[in-house]
Each structure stands twice: as C-alpha cells, then as structure tokens.
Amino acid sequence: GKDSASLFFNQALLLEILGKRRESLAAYRSYFTQAKGRDRMEALFAIAQLEEKLGEQSQSILSYQEIMNSKDVRPERRIESAFR
C-alpha cells in the first residue's frame, strides 16, 4: 500500500545520498511498482537519472521516453527528459 511505497521512496533517497546508486535504483524501482500518477513518473525520472549515472544508457533512454509519453508527468520533467 501507500505506507510500503513511502518506505521504498525514503530508502531510495537515503541510499542515493549515501552513494549507493545500484541499491537506490532497486528501491526506486520497487517504489515505482506501487506508486500512482505523478508520483510514479517522479520515481521513473529518478530511475532514469540513476540508470544514466550507472552507464545503463539504453535502459535510461527507454525510461526517459516513457516519461515523455506519459500524461501524468509534470511538464518540466517532460522537457528535461527530451534533452537527455
């Protein structure tokens, strides 16, 4: 539910701060599966950025494309994704 989704999101943020990108990516992906609407797209944006930082270029491109094609994404995220 929403509580476990929040836990995954908080875990992802903390892991990213600690420089544990791969673990953070896994937590964001878990959050993504449970989040709804714009929260889901914010998670996907974080996932795409981490994929890019980890050298997973083809996967990050797919993530950015999904963001650009979503109706639930904030307009500035769509623009940022277009320039990746």
Side-chain angles (χ1 to χ4, degrees):
K2 189 161 177 62
D3 288 341
S4 64
S6 294
L7 290 174
F8 283 123
F9 183 78
N10 291 334
Q11 180 185 26
L13 286 175
L14 289 171
L15 287 166
E16 191 172 2
I17 289 168
L18 294 172
K20 297 181 181 234
R21 290 179 175 165
R22 198 149 302 279
E23 294 90 341
S24 177
L25 180 58
Y28 275 123
R29 285 178 174 156
S30 294
Y31 175 72
F32 177 77
T33 63
Q34 296 181 22
K36 306 283 185 233
R38 284 194 174 180
D39 289 344
R40 186 174 167 84
M41 288 299 107
E42 284 299 303
L44 187 56
F45 190 77
I47 288 167
Q49 288 181 311
L50 281 168
E51 289 167 341
E52 191 174 3
K53 289 174 184 172
L54 289 166
E56 298 176 11
Q57 297 304 324
S58 58
Q59 188 57 50
S60 72
I61 289 168
L62 292 174
S63 296
Y64 285 127
Q65 286 175 341
E66 185 175 342
I67 292 164
M68 289 187 298
N69 295 327
S70 173
K71 63 183 180 350
D72 289 325
V73 72
R74 292 180 8 219
E76 63 271 20
R77 290 296 190 222
R78 185 175 287 118
I79 293 165
E80 290 175 64
S81 296
F83 287 97
R84 295 296 189 176

